[in-house]
Amino acid sequence: MITIRLATPEDAAAMLAVYAPYVRETVITFEYEVPTLPEFRRRVEETLPRFPWLLAQDDAGSVLGYAYASPYHSRAAYQWGAEGSIYLCPEAQGTGLAAPLYRCLLKLVALQGIRSFYGCITHPNPASEAFHRKLGFRELAIFPQAGYKQGRWLDVLWCCLPLGAKEDAPAPLCPFASLAPGQVAGILAETNREANTHCIL
């Protein structure tokens, strides 16, 4: 059985174990060095008051992956936009887990008032690009040779998913920690039903 829940700072070590191979072995993330455990824990602690950070685990409690939102930009006028990230362990890739995990993230940030949700993808990455298209993201632009890692220059693709109408006078973004716990619990319960119905883990 799969459980998707809110991550906590105590989950930092298990999530860092999922993330570290992406840093060391791939160009999916542009980080050069694996973060230390205190640094990774700090990221979780700083994210959760403002945005959701979700974790997927199996019956044994092993972390299968995680997804979180972060600010698209720090300036006030950008507060209705956010950027998403998702990382799965090798055993969970191709199982169908990514879709419910990411859709849960999208539902939660929409509740907060996010109206534009962005993805930033090292290009080409056919699997990630197809995944985002399937969820409804629209490709915006390719930034050529935007980063350098593992001995080569890398393009970056930005894509966007609209999340609701853009009102003429939008309310300020609601911090994630201020959402009604019952609403969050309902979305998580719905997500877990979906994950355990459709995933092949």
Side-chain angles (χ1 to χ4, degrees), residues 9 14 16-17 19 36 41-42 44 50 53 56 59 63 67 91 94 101 116-117 127 129 131 134 164 169 172 189 201:
L16 181 57
Y19 181 59
T36 64
R41 183 184 176 104
R42 181 196 64 78
V44 179
R50 186 170 183 189
W53 191 310
D59 277 341
V63 173
E91 297 78 13
L101 182 59
S116 296
F117 199 75
E129 292 169 32
F131 171 72
K134 185 176 179 181
L201 280 161

Side-chain angles (χ1 to χ4, degrees), residues 24 41 45 56 70 129 142 192:
R24 289 192 300 259
R41 183 184 176 104
E45 290 173 337
S70 55
E129 292 169 32
I142 293 174
N192 280 295

Side-chain angles (χ1 to χ4, degrees), residues 72 82 116-121 132-133 136-143 156-162:
Y72 167 66
S116 296
F117 199 75
Y118 298 98
C120 181
I121 305 166
H132 282 80
R133 282 195 298 269
F137 282 78
R138 180 172 60 89
E139 296 178 1
L140 299 177
I142 293 174
F143 291 12
V156 165
L157 167 67
W158 278 93
C159 56
C160 180
L161 178 67

Side-chain angles (χ1 to χ4, degrees), residues 152-175:
R152 57 194 173 109
W153 287 102
L154 301 159
D155 297 350
V156 165
L157 167 67
W158 278 93
C159 56
C160 180
L161 178 67
L163 295 176
K166 289 185 168 69
E167 304 90 344
D168 288 339
L173 185 69
C174 177

Side-chain angles (χ1 to χ4, degrees), residues 15-31:
M15 294 190 295
L16 181 57
V18 173
Y19 181 59
Y22 286 91
V23 178
R24 289 192 300 259
E25 302 165 16
T26 81
V27 295
I28 289 172
T29 172
F30 277 14
E31 285 202 83

